[in-house]
């Protein structure tokens, strides 16, 4: 959770916040996508998180990618914006958010996979036609769109 969101939570408690985030779908040379199993809800998702004040969206995406996976993105490509009622989310701790998520894909990266254990319990690459059903609710529309565009 970003410092900005933590500070807001001290004021508003669990009430719904508009949360702007940047996320990255990492794609390896086999066309598989990287997903991490979240420590809070035990569902799969891609790297991403809240944008800090005055942070560029792309910088946030790259920072979150490194923090959560240990990978350094070399090039991002815009994929889509994920927003709306269907991605309103209540975290296991009761915090509510209305997400606006800018999602990128990344085919060029380096580093060694290392999950951020406070947030991610496991990292694994999946074939596009074998994505697990246990996807974190707010990102289901993105995963569905990615699969639709990339299924062979």
């Amino acid at each position: 959770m970003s410092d900005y969101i933590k500070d807001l939570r001290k004021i508003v408690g669990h009430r719904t916040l508009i949360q702007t985030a940047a996320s990255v779908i990492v794609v390896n040379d086999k066309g598989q996508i990287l997903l991490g199993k979240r420590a809070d809800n035990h569902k799969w998702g891609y790297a991403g998180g809240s944008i800090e004040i005055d942070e560029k969206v792309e910088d946030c995406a790259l920072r979150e990618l490194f923090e959560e996976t240990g990978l350094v993105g070399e090039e991002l490509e815009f994929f889509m914006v994920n927003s709306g009622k269907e991605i309103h989310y209540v975290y296991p701790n009761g915090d509510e958010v209305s997400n606006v998520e800018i999602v990128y894909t990344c085919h060029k990266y380096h580093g060694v996979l290392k999950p951020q254990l406070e947030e991610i319990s496991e990292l694994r690459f999946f074939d596009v036609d074998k994505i697990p059903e246990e996807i974190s609710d707010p990102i289901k529309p993105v995963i569905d769109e990615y699969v639709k565009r990339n299924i062979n």
Side-chain angles (χ1 to χ4, degrees):
M1 180 184 309
S2 75
D3 290 338
Y4 175 67
I5 298 295
K6 284 180 188 174
D7 290 345
L8 284 177
R9 286 284 172 216
K10 291 175 187 172
I11 298 166
V12 301
H14 297 300
R15 289 180 48 205
T16 304
L17 295 177
I18 295 174
Q19 179 173 264
T20 308
S23 300
V24 181
I25 299 171
V26 174
V27 184
N28 69 13
D29 57 0
K30 297 176 186 174
Q32 299 170 315
I33 65 171
L34 179 64
L35 297 175
K37 189 173 249 188
R38 295 177 54 99
D40 61 356
N41 66 10
H42 309 290
K43 294 186 178 185
W44 294 94
Y46 42 69
S50 298
I51 299 167
E52 295 284 350
I53 292 177
D54 295 332
E55 185 177 33
K56 289 184 177 183
V57 175
E58 295 86 354
D59 291 345
C60 174
L62 293 170
R63 174 180 54 78
E64 290 287 341
L65 176 63
F66 179 72
E67 288 175 359
E68 293 182 12
T69 71
L71 299 180
V72 176
E74 297 173 19
E75 190 174 296
L76 297 175
E77 182 178 326
F78 174 77
F79 181 67
M80 69 179 279
V81 173
N82 186 25
S83 62
K85 267 187 180 179
E86 60 275 6
I87 66 163
H88 185 105
Y89 185 68
V90 180
Y91 286 95
N93 70 358
D95 290 352
E96 286 195 51
V97 292
S98 176
N99 286 308
V100 177
E101 176 189 27
I102 298 91
V103 184
Y104 297 91
T105 57
C106 179
H107 296 262
K108 294 181 181 180
Y109 57 90
H110 64 274
V112 176
L113 281 178
K114 182 181 177 189
Q116 181 184 30
L117 295 178
E118 303 83 40
E119 292 187 36
I120 307 295
S121 63
E122 179 182 355
L123 290 168
R124 190 182 326 163
F125 281 96
F126 290 91
D127 292 327
V128 176
D129 60 349
K130 294 181 181 161
I131 303 293
E133 290 186 25
E134 303 82 22
I135 296 294
S136 192
D137 291 336
I139 70 163
K140 282 181 182 176
V142 177
I143 295 294
D144 290 346
E145 182 63 24
Y146 188 87
V147 169
K148 186 172 91 175
R149 291 186 198 182
N150 292 280
I151 200 78
N152 293 330

